[in-house]
Amino acid sequence: MPRYVALLGSINIGGNRVTMAELRRAFEVEGMGNVETVVASGNVLFDHDARPTAGLEEKLAMLMREHFDISSTAIVRSRDELAATLADNPFASDGDDKLVHSMFLTRQPNAAEFDAMIARYSGRGPERMALGDRALHIDYVDGVGRSALTGPFIERQLACKGTARNVRSIARIIAKMEEEGGETI
């Protein structure tokens, strides 16, 4: 059975408190197997019958609404997709692992949308950005908390939802998925 990671947005911030034990139970109740959380911020590893990740994202967003009354962005990737995103991040090799992020997106923005966002953000901060495969790679040079490049700004500009993880967290999730020896797809 294929192994996936769910990257859930809006978990344990702004009143959306969910324990990782509750999250694991909800996934199990909905038929996911071998459920495990990594880095207690909405990263859930699970086994599920092979299906397009978009269908799983919809299912998990509904799970979050029904079990926790939380409207959460749910991004699902296989180990190979997650590893490809990390390898594709042009800032991972020369940036700080805590400051370099990939924002996983619900759809692939086109080059014109990305260029328009870059133009609207120009002069507002030192961040470096690159478009990836259903991801936006960002180097928050001076720190995420100080940046004007926020998730809501990015989502408005690219007309899609997303959730970000830093390079260190992505590497930990990949390592955990490899430990499990789950089937890659």
Side-chain angles (χ1 to χ4, degrees):
M1 191 173 298
R3 189 115 174 107
Y4 297 95
V5 62
L7 305 166
L8 303 172
S10 304
I11 300 297
N12 293 335
I13 59 170
N16 289 332
R17 303 283 178 213
V18 177
T19 69
M20 294 305 103
E22 292 171 322
L23 196 53
R24 286 189 299 272
R25 272 193 300 280
F27 271 63
E28 289 165 351
V29 164
E30 294 298 329
M32 281 66 159
N34 197 19
V35 179
E36 186 176 2
T37 54
V38 181
V39 190
S41 58
N43 306 307
V44 185
L45 306 179
F46 63 98
D47 295 342
H48 195 284
D49 293 332
R51 67 189 297 181
T53 54
L56 286 172
E57 290 171 349
E58 190 175 298
K59 180 177 182 174
L60 295 178
M62 187 171 57
L63 174 151
M64 295 304 295
R65 280 190 307 274
E66 290 179 357
H67 286 264
F68 304 108
D69 197 28
I70 294 174
S71 178
S72 176
T73 301
I75 304 293
V76 176
R77 299 291 189 265
S78 68
R79 192 215 60 84
D80 291 347
E81 289 172 320
L82 197 63
T85 299
L86 182 58
D88 190 39
N89 189 322
F91 313 121
S93 63
D94 68 351
D96 183 316
D97 287 356
K98 290 185 269 181
L99 301 179
V100 174
H101 288 66
S102 289
M103 183 172 186
F104 296 88
L105 304 171
T106 54
R107 71 170 185 85
Q108 178 64 43
N110 63 46
E113 292 168 321
F114 176 69
D115 292 343
M117 182 187 72
I118 295 292
R120 285 187 198 99
Y121 192 73
S122 180
R124 295 174 74 183
E127 297 81 8
R128 301 184 295 167
M129 293 179 269
L131 190 58
D133 179 16
R134 293 182 300 152
L136 178 64
H137 305 297
I138 309 162
D139 183 357
Y140 286 101
V141 178
D142 291 336
V144 178
R146 296 182 182 133
S147 178
L149 185 62
T150 64
F153 173 83
I154 294 166
E155 289 176 344
R156 277 192 310 276
Q157 300 306 310
L158 298 180
C160 63
K161 296 287 187 183
T163 186
R165 301 296 186 272
N166 68 32
V167 167
R168 182 175 290 172
S169 293
I170 296 169
R172 286 179 65 187
I173 295 166
I174 292 168
K176 193 67 174 169
M177 291 179 91
E178 289 172 349
E179 282 176 20
E180 298 295 318
E183 176 184 340
T184 60
I185 56 172

